[in-house]
Amino acid sequence: MSVNQQAHTGPPYGQPQPGYQGYQQPAYGGQPLPGVPQSQYGAYNGPMPGYQQPVPPQGSLRAPPTSGAPPPASAASLPSSHLAYSQFGHGDVQNGIPASAAPMQRPPASQPFLPGSAPTPVSQTSTFQQYGPPPASVQQLSNHMAGMTIGSTTASAPPPAGLGYGPPTSIPPVSGSLSATGSGLYTPYTASQGPPPTSVSQGLPLAQPPFPGQPISTQRLPTQVPGFAPPPSSTGIGPSSYPPTTGAPRPPTMPGPPLPGQMVAGPPTSQPNHVSSPPPPSAMSGPHPGPPMSGLHGPPPPTHPPQPGYQMQQNGSFGQVRGPQPNYGGAYPGTPNYGSQPGQPPPPKRLDPDSIPSPIQVIEDDRSNRGSEPFVTGVRGQVPPLVTTNFLVKDQGNASPRYIRCTSYNIPCTSDMAKQSQVPLAAVIKPLATLPPEETLPYLVDHGESGPVRCNRCKAYMCPFMQFIEGGRRFQCCFCSCVTEVPPHYFQHLDHTGKRVDFYDRPELSLGSYEFLATVDYCKNNKFPSPPAFIFMIDVSYNAVKSGLVRLICEELKSLLDYLPREGNMEESAIRVGFVTYNKVLHFYNVKSSLAQPQMMVVSDVADMFVPLLDGFLVNVNESRTVIASLLDQIPEMFADTRETETVFAPVIQAGLEALKAAECAGKLFIFHTSLPIAEAPGKLKNRDDKKLINTDKEKTLFQPQTNFYNNLAKDCVAQGCCVDLFLFPNQYLDVATLGVVTYQTGGSIYKYAYFQLEIDQDRFLNDLRRDVQKEVGFDAVMRVRTSTGIRATDFFGAFYMSNTTDVEMAGLDCDKTITVEFKHDDKLSEDSGALLQCALLYTSCAGQRRLRIHNLSLNCCTQLADLYRNCETDTLINYLAKYAYRGVLGSPVKTVRDALINQCAQILACYRKNCASPSSAGQLILPECMKLLPVYLNCVLKSDVLQPGLEVTTDDRAYIRQLVTSMDVAETNVFFYPRLLPLTKADVDSDSLPAAIRNSEERLSKGDMYLLENGLNIFVWVGVNVQQGLIQNLFGVSSFSQISNASNTLPVLENPFSKKVRSIVDMLQVQRSRYMKLIIVKQEDKLEMLFKHFLVEDKSLSGGASYVDFLCHMHKEIRQLLS
């Protein structure tokens, strides 16, 4: 998400950091405190155990836990009481300012939070007031808060523009919203703020209690992640933000951050997810006496206010802790009480998951801040809303973020700065992206026979950034500065500002995206193209026939052929169709309209493929309708008794290619294939699957094609404009890495249905096929990205072929495909002129029209690293990093690729810490506001099946995912790596909206609820063992949990509000994704639950992936090593 939202910042981590001396945390380096059990996580971040929660204000917070009992280990259902937090819960809390108020801008770089203390956003007033000592118990809190007040600096700087998050910049919100009141409870956090940061310092005992009442140092740290915060004061944690220990006992209710010493309820990272943690240390009621840890390093943070300049530190600091997320059930009510007695030092604990940056919070904040206003593209270098936010775009000179998203909208002026930051400069471009109905499609401009006006030198196309001079007779190129004469037919006078008077009448002068009608010079062989053709090539071997697949395909094609893509107002599609069936030999069909019956011609010499007929193979659907219908009826019958199990594959592609060559047109092959092609023929493959290669230097061979044959075939296909879409139905190893080569290099799509069963997979396959046949696609496409002087495109990722270093060639490019382009400096840039990109795509439309689609984007340039970090888009960065890593596995061991990713990320964050964050203890993890989700998302990429496969993941699955991700857009990688998890039982059956999402962790699940998880490929409906019988009856039509069948992959259509609501949610999600997701029903404690848990990406994975909390600690350690 871009992190432009205000994410909430969690409290700084106060936990001991790895590596902090002084503590040896268990996992993180602190030492366990005696006597204290480690905590396993308390149950779901509930309130800290032991404290009761404050009363939720407005009822929205969760109620205080009711008992001290530890929550059930499993994710038990949360009592309703806890629901309370939901309002504010993560989801809503914003970092600082209440959403409404917050300016969109991202706060300046980061603000530190004190550990534990985030300033409270007190009522958002700018200053935090300290709360006077409230009642004792409260008082502690307050002190704590006070400390939190970090920096009471008032929010001084407004967040820089553009940020979407966060509290006013300078202040980190406290996490709670404490009111200044002294009341004992923390006041509930207001939505905008989360509960006080937990102190993530937790594991450290408090060293010395801060003085009560006094505000702890006010400086605010950037977002620090709690655990990272330096340990408590003495330990170096930020001023202690913990309430002083002394003195007043903590209010029990406070959900606030635990005292430093206390543990956070969150599950310890390392532990299994659900464990409930042992009780935390005492409720912290007394001060902890523990000796201050001397070992921690770092003096307590200073108390003086941060230096000016930095206040924004909030940035990444996790200042507030957020309460449970909205809608996550709160902690269990009874969180354990951390049983220590008061007074004893708290055991070292792990970071509280609620105190670290929450993707849900960031997404929610961006939605509330930026979802209501249209995104107007007239200003250079504006960071768009996150991909998860629904917003309208008004094109006023820069391309919509639906077409282009960048990793940063403010790029360094020099290559040295770029190298220092290690932030990759990349654009994810989706040239034919589908727009919502309320937005206007790019206008088509026809300049007649002279064609588009271009720069004489660099050949850039006319765009809004070209400068007209000499009264409009010439223009200066914004890319290369060359001056070009304006053709007489294009001349127009300038107004008093130097703009042409027809500025608003010409899309190419006023809009960021538009199309030109191409002239014959832009066509192959200087000849206008013919309309494209679709050839359906069906495997009729034994498996395909026996499974019912052949009959299903033939039945569907009868109706689907009426929905071929067509140009806007055309009566019928111009696309012609042809049919081939194959096993060890190929069968071509003549379906000429004049025939009474289709004719079959067999080609058995697969070594020298040719097309046995020209006339009658590619036909117009309407003209040959009856012959085609007859053929589709006959194919299943003809092969019903086949015994042929072997198939060929390469000759099938060659046949389609030859047919398109003969017809002199581009087109697409739809190949339906079931098994490894072992029959004697070109491109024959052997089964080379070998799980023993995993984690060895030879693992990369599993991702590489077995033979070069397919690379050469792909090259021939691209030259002809022959795109290949592949539908695979494997029952065993099929070698997707090799079969997918042609699809991948021609810009096609692969769909895979393992162990295809008609009743289960039919809907998914048919929906995918329908969408694939109907979607907008351009043929014979060539894309070039031009840049202004100073940077150039150096690297490209996606499904395409490149025969030189600048032109991206695609036999087909559809509306779902993206091309990711990386830029490098080749000179200095200037802050005044910024940097420009122009993506030009030349393609043939489905009606055979040659067009140029142009997208322009202007970016800012900076001489200060803080400006770079303030304008990054984490979702786009992750999209780029995943693609970079997924390409890396082709040539390097997976471990090398993983380590390089971690190292690059650590360098990005260390550079920020060193150059942009205000000075603070090394114990604090400080993240830039708009990159605060980089660690959690990067960890998801590292744990993905390609880079860290579980035992059940097949080699084919990994190759399939690798190819799929390479051409995904930012919205798709976002939900793929960090799935969306929705509590169905919280859905409002009377509204059209989705229930608020919750974080991807088992500790957020309650046994009494049902949840839906989607990642763009699958939808899981998880049913807890204690779900009310009425809900089970309403959704599944059975009377008890035990009767729910997880063999079914559809929800029954039942006439009740809950069933309708859940089905409408599923339908809504299906429409948003480019593929039809497989619905999987998972019952808690069932064997399928392991698969489901694989997608709970904040938890530790079975394949060895770290939990979010552990990874954050690891990242912090890496950053500290780089800084030292």
Side-chain angles (χ1 to χ4, degrees), residues 1042-1112:
S1042 59
Q1043 292 175 298
I1044 297 171
S1045 161
N1046 45 20
S1048 166
N1049 65 331
T1050 53
L1051 294 171
V1053 177
L1054 303 173
E1055 286 302 313
N1056 65 72
F1058 185 62
S1059 170
K1060 286 178 183 169
K1061 177 65 182 177
V1062 173
R1063 284 181 289 112
S1064 80
I1065 289 174
V1066 170
D1067 292 344
M1068 194 186 308
L1069 299 181
Q1070 292 285 20
V1071 172
Q1072 291 175 13
R1073 306 290 169 218
S1074 60
R1075 289 167 183 250
Y1076 195 82
M1077 296 178 280
K1078 179 177 187 175
L1079 181 71
I1080 301 169
I1081 293 166
V1082 178
K1083 295 159 68 175
Q1084 188 178 0
E1085 295 164 13
D1086 189 72
K1087 59 184 185 298
L1088 271 176
E1089 202 184 20
M1090 295 312 293
L1091 176 60
F1092 172 75
K1093 286 181 181 176
H1094 177 67
F1095 296 99
L1096 297 176
V1097 293
E1098 289 197 23
D1099 298 337
K1100 197 164 169 178
S1101 71
L1102 289 172
S1103 51
S1107 68
Y1108 175 19
V1109 176
D1110 285 340
F1111 183 70
L1112 202 51

Side-chain angles (χ1 to χ4, degrees), residues 291-310:
M293 317 249 314
S294 49
L296 306 189
H297 21 278
T303 33
H304 40 82
Q307 304 133 296
Y310 291 37

